[in-house]
């Protein structure tokens, strides 16, 4: 073999070895990070991961917007599209709150609360899209999703358990009484309830009864105290089932509580659910994170990590406005199978979800 050819061959092998070496090390060197908040504003955040994309929504108020990104760190600059604008008047024309996008039975659905401009008329509504890409296709209003009594309702989420579809949401027992409870019901299909609602939780522990209304609000006819259980989200780990919900008023001591299914009997019986005696996620003033709540959950793209997404305020006095911004962080599990959310992390870079 000519010496010149041998040298060239050795050089190529060396370059190939270097390339393979760098390829192995690159993931460690190029670890993506994200920093909270993920964008400047975003009350009531919701995200789902499918086919390489995160699909994200939050309350905008007068319409429904959908964001799409491959990396949670890029949420602030993600593709954004208004997928639904309601009519100028009517029962679902105003105050569009807490939208969620779900992929069910081969189609996309968006659930949102809306009213005619009067909060007492808030109900849940459902949109359907048959397109494989929810940023494309037509969103069709399927109608109102209500229990037989047609009660006030917000913050509805859906989940499947043993082949059956369920809805969980926040509602009033009757007329406005200053208290919001957590309800569950079976669904006949993604836009129709099957049977009546069942109340699973009401604010009845000392830590979830901090809802004093500011005096200036009372002058406008508000009740003196609002006791809140809202924003319920379903969480599953192996055979353990949980509902994580927001407690207290969004302007004071907002935090997360938890219900755990005891593993026996119907999900539609309140006696089969046990409430955590203490909140499971509270604010961290030392980290500049106040009033964390209205969460959702997602898996990392490789399925190895569990993440919580929630909104929080940058200060104690920011209340229920647009300073609420989306935060995300990884959480773990306790030896007894319950989730361990830790505390809200500081606004410093952290590793992005694995598999991105």
């Amino acid at each position: 073999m000519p010496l010149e050819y041998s040298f060239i061959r050795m050089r190529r092998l060396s370059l190939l070895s270097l390339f393979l070496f760098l390829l192995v090390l690159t993931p460690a060197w190029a670890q993506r990070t994200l920093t909270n908040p993920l964008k400047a504003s975003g009350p009531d955040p919701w995200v789902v991961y499918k086919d390489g994309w995160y699909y994200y929504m939050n309350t905008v108020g007068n319409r429904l917007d959908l964001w799409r990104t491959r990396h949670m760190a890029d949420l602030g600059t993600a593709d954004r599209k208004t997928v639904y604008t309601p009519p100028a008047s009517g029962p679902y024309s105003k105050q569009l709150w807490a939208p969620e996008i779900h992929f069910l039975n081969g189609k996309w659905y968006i659930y949102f609360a809306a009213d005619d401009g009067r909060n007492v008329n808030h109900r849940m509504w459902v949109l359907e899209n048959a397109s494989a890409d929810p940023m494309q296709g037509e969103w069709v209003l399927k109608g109102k999703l209500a229990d037989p009594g047609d009660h006030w309702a917000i913050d509805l989420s859906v989940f499947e358990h043993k082949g059956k579809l369920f809805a969980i949401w926040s509602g009033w027992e009757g007329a406005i009484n200053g208290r919001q409870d957590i309800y569950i019901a079976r669904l006949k299909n993604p836009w129709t309830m099957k049977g009546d609602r069942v109340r699973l939780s009401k604010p009845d522990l000392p830590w979830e009864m901090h809802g004093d209304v500011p005096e200036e609000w009372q002058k406008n006819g508000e009740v003196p105290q609002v006791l809140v259980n809202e924003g319920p989200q379903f969480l599953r780990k192996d055979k353990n089932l949980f509902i994580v919900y927001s407690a207290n008023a969004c302007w004071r001591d907002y935090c997360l509580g938890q219900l755990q299914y005891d593993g026996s009997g119907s999900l539609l019986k309140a006696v089969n659910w046990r409430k955590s005696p203490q909140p499971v996620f509270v604010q961290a003033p030392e980290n500049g994170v106040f009033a964390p709540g209205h969460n959702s959950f997602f898996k990392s793209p490789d399925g190895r990590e569990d993440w919580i997404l929630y909104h929080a305020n940058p200060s104690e006095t920011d209340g229920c406005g647009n300073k609420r911004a989306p935060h995300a962080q990884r959480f773990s599990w306790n030896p007894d199978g319950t989730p361990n959310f830790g505390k809200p992390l500081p606004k410093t870079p952290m590793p992005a979800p694995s598999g991105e």
Side-chain angles (χ1 to χ4, degrees):
M1 180 183 296
L3 182 62
E4 181 180 358
Y5 178 79
S6 178
F7 175 77
I8 293 173
R9 186 167 180 267
M10 289 178 64
R11 185 179 180 186
R12 286 177 176 173
L13 287 173
S14 297
L15 289 174
L16 178 60
S17 298
L18 177 61
F19 172 76
L20 293 174
F21 176 74
L22 292 175
L23 187 63
V24 171
L25 290 185
T26 293
W29 291 357
Q31 171 68 58
R32 293 185 64 93
T33 63
L34 57 81
T35 302
N36 287 324
L38 301 178
K39 62 190 188 81
S41 177
D44 311 327
W46 165 268
V47 70
V48 64
Y49 185 82
K50 189 178 188 302
D51 299 332
W53 294 99
Y54 294 101
Y55 294 100
Y56 168 92
M57 303 189 79
N58 62 233
T59 294
V60 177
N62 60 353
R63 65 186 188 278
L64 299 178
D65 286 358
L66 179 63
W67 285 258
R68 181 179 69 175
T69 181
R70 292 196 183 276
H71 305 285
M72 285 299 288
D74 299 334
L75 186 60
T77 57
D79 293 338
R80 176 178 179 175
K81 181 179 181 180
T82 296
V83 294
Y84 184 73
T85 301
S89 61
Y92 50 92
S93 59
K94 304 290 191 304
Q95 301 187 98
L96 280 65
W97 293 352
E100 292 189 7
I101 182 170
H102 294 258
F103 189 74
L104 304 167
N105 302 332
K107 295 182 180 180
W108 290 98
Y109 293 89
I110 290 178
Y111 297 85
F112 66 100
D115 62 27
D116 56 1
R118 299 178 64 237
N119 180 36
V120 70
N121 292 327
H122 254 117
R123 299 294 188 275
M124 294 303 308
W125 301 83
V126 188
L127 298 169
E128 181 186 74
N129 188 342
S131 173
D133 181 356
M135 301 289 280
Q136 304 299 323
E138 181 183 6
W139 285 97
V140 178
L141 184 71
K142 296 295 291 185
K144 179 169 62 175
L145 179 56
D147 63 281
D150 193 22
H151 293 91
W152 185 91
I154 63 169
D155 297 350
L156 184 141
S157 190
V158 299
F159 66 93
E160 187 175 330
H161 179 65
K162 294 184 177 180
K164 299 176 181 178
L165 198 60
F166 294 84
I168 47 178
W169 71 96
S170 179
W172 296 340
E173 184 65 20
I176 183 170
N177 59 3
R179 195 190 77 208
Q180 292 174 219
D181 304 332
I182 301 298
Y183 291 91
I184 187 172
R186 276 282 310 279
L187 294 183
K188 183 185 303 183
N189 54 48
W191 61 91
T192 309
M193 284 196 186
K194 180 179 181 179
D196 208 347
R197 64 178 186 167
V198 175
R199 185 175 66 192
L200 296 183
S201 175
K202 65 179 180 180
D204 55 10
L205 296 179
W207 59 266
E208 57 182 351
M209 301 180 72
H210 302 168
D212 294 338
V213 174
E215 291 185 7
E216 60 271 23
W217 294 10
Q218 295 182 42
K219 295 176 182 178
N220 295 325
E222 295 282 353
V223 293
Q225 189 179 54
V226 176
L227 304 179
V228 175
N229 280 181
E230 64 183 9
Q233 291 293 328
F234 184 73
L235 178 62
R236 186 196 315 268
K237 174 67 170 178
D238 300 325
K239 295 182 179 181
N240 295 321
L241 307 177
F242 306 91
I243 292 174
V244 178
Y245 63 94
S246 300
N248 293 324
C250 53
W251 60 87
R252 183 185 174 195
D253 297 336
Y254 212 45
C255 62
L256 297 181
Q258 178 179 286
L259 304 176
Q260 181 174 3
Y261 174 58
D262 68 6
S264 64
S266 172
L267 299 185
L268 299 177
K269 291 186 177 181
V271 295
N272 294 333
W273 293 87
R274 182 176 69 255
K275 180 183 289 191
S276 174
Q278 299 296 330
V280 294
F281 195 62
V282 299
Q283 63 188 16
E286 69 276 18
N287 291 334
V289 183
F290 295 85
H294 204 106
N295 71 286
S296 62
F297 300 108
F298 66 96
K299 285 276 191 181
S300 59
D302 62 8
R304 296 171 57 189
E305 298 175 351
D306 293 294
W307 285 71
I308 182 173
L309 177 72
Y310 61 95
H311 73 221
N313 277 324
S315 75
E316 189 175 12
T317 59
D318 291 323
C320 306
N322 287 328
K323 289 187 177 181
R324 293 175 295 173
H327 293 234
Q329 63 188 66
R330 185 181 176 184
F331 68 92
S332 60
W333 297 87
N334 296 311
D336 65 358
T338 58
N340 185 341
F341 301 118
K343 68 178 180 179
L345 297 179
K347 301 170 185 178
T348 55
M350 72 182 81
S354 60
E356 287 192 358

